[in-house]
Amino acid sequence: TGIWSEKALKEAKRYGDINVVEAGIKTEDGKLAIADQSAWNLSDDAAYVHYADNETIGGLQFAHVPETDKPLVCDFSSSILSAPIDVSKFGLIYAGAQKNIGPAGLTLVIIREDLLDQAKPEIPSILKYADQAKNGSMVNTPSTYAWYLSGLVFEWLLEQGGVDAIHKVNLQKAELLYGYIDSSDFYANPIAKENRSIMNVPFTLANPELEKQFLQEAKENHLLNLAGHRSVGGMRASIYNAVPLEGVQALVSFMDDFAKRNA
Ligand SMILES: *Cc1c(COP(=O)(O)O)cnc(C)c1O
């Protein structure tokens, strides 16, 4: 579905034959969407199926967990802890900490026990999940400060009411922002409704010449990092767990003001 799957593909190719399922499609009205699973060319003899739940750059998210009898492997880097996950459906979940967990330098892995000890013998210990599990994830000294800070984030999240509670806030944030974009002729979002990310909201301005001015004025209003990824351009609001509802309210109010002044 995008850059993260592409990067995973590049790494996986070192180890075996990979069958690529191009799940990203364009709908009749030109929106990006994820094809229904019935249209995927999954291979019957696959060792596992890998996907990225949320395409952080494009703002495209799976609405359902794929159905498969193979171990399901998922990159949850930009959506972990944003909504409840049925962990029992997965063989392996991995997520970089730097979006919803804590500082860069940690990767969280949740792996089914029967898959733990399947690494090739030549894989170094630090990358062997069985060794890490046996050693409490401390085969070597881990990045202790990042662990500590992540622990504080977990405590904060529990104080908010946990993942269920933050999910409700995330839905409110996403509905507010997408609702505003859909109601405006000045802004547009390129993703089909069912596959819109609740964490990363890309949007374009009807007049792209105003983009620079939009970013500059947003910054003056303390609304930062709204430029889209350089590979796609446009704008992108990343509304991770750390962004409160008030943050999205402030963004929508700025966007509306900007549209009125520049329409
Ligand atoms: C951010 C992200 C990564 C990893 O990002 P790095 O900055 O390269 O560590 C991987 N997958 C997804 C889906 C991401 O959003």
Side-chain angles (χ1 to χ4, degrees):
T1 49
I3 284 189
W4 299 111
S5 309
E6 217 174 288
K7 289 194 183 199
L9 170 65
K10 181 172 156 236
E11 302 303 326
K13 272 183 173 165
R14 301 176 207 279
Y15 299 96
D17 297 327
I18 310 298
N19 170 32
V20 180
V21 177
E22 301 247 5
I25 49 161
K26 273 231 164 117
T27 60
E28 275 166 23
D29 54 354
K31 300 277 189 187
L32 274 175
I34 293 174
D36 190 78
Q37 190 177 333
S38 58
W40 300 358
N41 61 323
L42 292 170
S43 29
D44 295 333
D45 57 347
Y48 64 92
V49 176
H50 173 282
Y51 75 110
D53 174 59
N54 179 52
E55 170 44 52
T56 322
I57 292 171
L60 185 72
Q61 186 162 21
F62 279 73
H64 309 284
V65 175
E67 296 291 334
T68 171
D69 57 353
K70 310 287 186 275
L72 191 57
V73 177
C74 185
D75 176 356
F76 268 102
S77 293
S78 53
S79 49
I80 190 111
L81 299 182
S82 68
I85 299 173
D86 181 354
V87 172
S88 70
K89 289 189 170 170
F90 294 87
L92 190 150
I93 287 169
Y94 66 96
Q98 66 264 35
K99 279 113 190 186
N100 271 339
I101 296 178
L106 283 184
T107 304
L108 175 136
V109 176
I110 303 171
I111 181 168
R112 221 169 63 194
E113 253 170 88
D114 63 298
L115 297 174
L116 260 181
D117 208 3
Q118 295 200 15
K120 293 184 176 188
E122 62 269 28
I123 301 289
S125 306
I126 192 160
L127 296 177
K128 266 194 188 136
Y129 298 133
D131 284 19
Q132 289 292 6
K134 240 177 272 153
N135 290 285
S137 302
M138 292 179 287
V139 167
N140 292 88
T141 306
S143 45
T144 51
Y145 197 58
W147 274 30
Y148 168 70
L149 290 173
S150 298
L152 296 183
V153 174
F154 296 145
E155 279 171 22
W156 169 84
L157 184 53
L158 288 171
E159 279 162 23
Q160 312 304 305
V163 174
D164 283 321
I166 206 99
H167 182 215
K168 290 203 182 94
V169 179
N170 287 333
L171 289 176
Q172 269 182 296
K173 283 151 54 183
E175 274 162 25
L176 174 62
L177 187 47
Y178 286 116
Y180 173 69
I181 292 170
D182 288 345
S183 75
S184 146
D185 295 329
F186 195 87
Y187 304 101
N189 168 270
I191 309 296
K193 282 202 169 120
E194 183 172 72
N195 293 121
R196 284 174 163 181
S197 164
I198 63 166
M199 292 281 98
N200 310 96
V201 183
F203 58 94
T204 51
L205 276 58
N207 176 3
E209 278 168 24
L210 289 170
E211 283 184 0
K212 257 195 161 158
Q213 188 191 336
F214 179 91
L215 288 171
Q216 179 56 35
E217 289 185 24
K219 199 169 153 190
E220 284 158 16
N221 284 276
H222 314 289
L223 297 161
L224 308 180
N225 296 319
L226 286 165
H229 192 270
R230 61 187 178 283
S231 60
V232 292
M235 305 295 151
R236 178 181 54 162
S238 285
I239 49 175
Y240 294 118
N241 283 0
V243 175
L245 180 59
E246 292 76 14
V248 178
Q249 286 165 341
L251 173 62
V252 166
S253 133
F254 166 75
M255 287 169 71
D256 193 41
D257 180 55
F258 186 88
K260 284 188 175 127
R261 284 185 289 111
N262 294 285

